[in-house]
Amino acid sequence: MDDGSEHCFSAKVTEMDFGRMVYAVVYLPAAVRQGLTTGSRARVIGTVGGAPFRGGVLPAGGGRQYLLLSKKFLKSAGLAVGHTAAVRVRLDDPDAVELVPEFERSLDAHPTASRVWRRLTPGARRGFAHRVASARQAVTRRARIEECIDALCRMAGDV
């Protein structure tokens, strides 16, 4: 198990091709993979190219692992495929979920949705959080918050 120490390395931003979908990734060196072993998929926090990063360590073939970098992240970090990035990561709380403040306030205002939210797995909570946070416009974010609150309330009998 990792002791919470930070792992620093340089990695080339490369493309990972999944047929019709292409992703930008950085692969973790073997020593870092071993240092982040947790018995399951690790979540990390740190920086990539100097920009704040938080995400999962994902498995690739051949025992390799990578960090997935979104287009939005690449832009914020001033990175592109082919660039070499300084990476600094450490294990993150596996249950951590970042919420936009409006979504957090809406959960607080809806006891049924809040109760269901607390019973969801961290991965399911991250899915809802991503749905809201990925909205580019405030009006879309508000609509997605309402959609999520409604979905959580409908789930009340299922959880």
Side-chain angles (χ1 to χ4, degrees):
M1 180 70 111
D2 184 85
D3 62 3
S5 62
E6 189 171 68
H7 301 274
C8 304
F9 59 97
S10 292
K12 187 174 183 178
V13 178
T14 60
E15 286 185 340
M16 179 183 276
D17 188 353
F18 284 106
R20 294 180 11 200
M21 298 169 48
V22 178
Y23 297 102
V25 303
V26 292
Y27 288 97
L28 278 64
V32 173
R33 289 193 312 264
Q34 292 168 354
L36 292 175
T37 301
T38 63
S40 63
R41 291 185 183 173
R43 299 215 33 96
V44 294
I45 187 168
T47 61
V48 177
F53 178 84
R54 187 178 224 164
V57 176
L58 302 168
R64 298 183 306 163
Q65 293 176 313
Y66 63 92
L67 303 177
L68 181 65
L69 309 176
S70 69
K71 288 180 183 179
K72 182 178 178 181
F73 178 82
L74 290 172
K75 185 175 180 179
S76 73
L79 294 171
V81 170
H83 289 174
T84 298
V87 180
R88 302 170 67 93
V89 293
R90 62 179 166 76
L91 281 177
D92 192 8
D93 175 359
D95 297 334
V97 179
E98 291 184 40
L99 295 177
V100 296
E102 304 98 313
F103 190 21
E104 193 165 9
R105 286 191 296 273
S106 288
L107 283 169
D108 290 343
H110 293 85
T112 300
S114 182
R115 179 176 47 83
V116 172
W117 177 263
R118 287 189 305 272
R119 292 180 181 171
L120 294 176
T121 65
R125 289 193 301 264
R126 279 191 288 276
F128 277 100
H130 176 73
R131 173 87 176 127
V132 171
S134 64
R136 292 185 183 147
Q137 296 181 356
V139 65
T140 305
R141 189 170 33 260
R142 283 191 297 274
R144 288 183 182 180
I145 288 170
E146 288 178 23
E147 171 189 291
C148 290
I149 294 296
D150 288 346
L152 289 165
C153 288
R154 285 192 309 273
M155 293 169 63
D158 299 337
V159 178

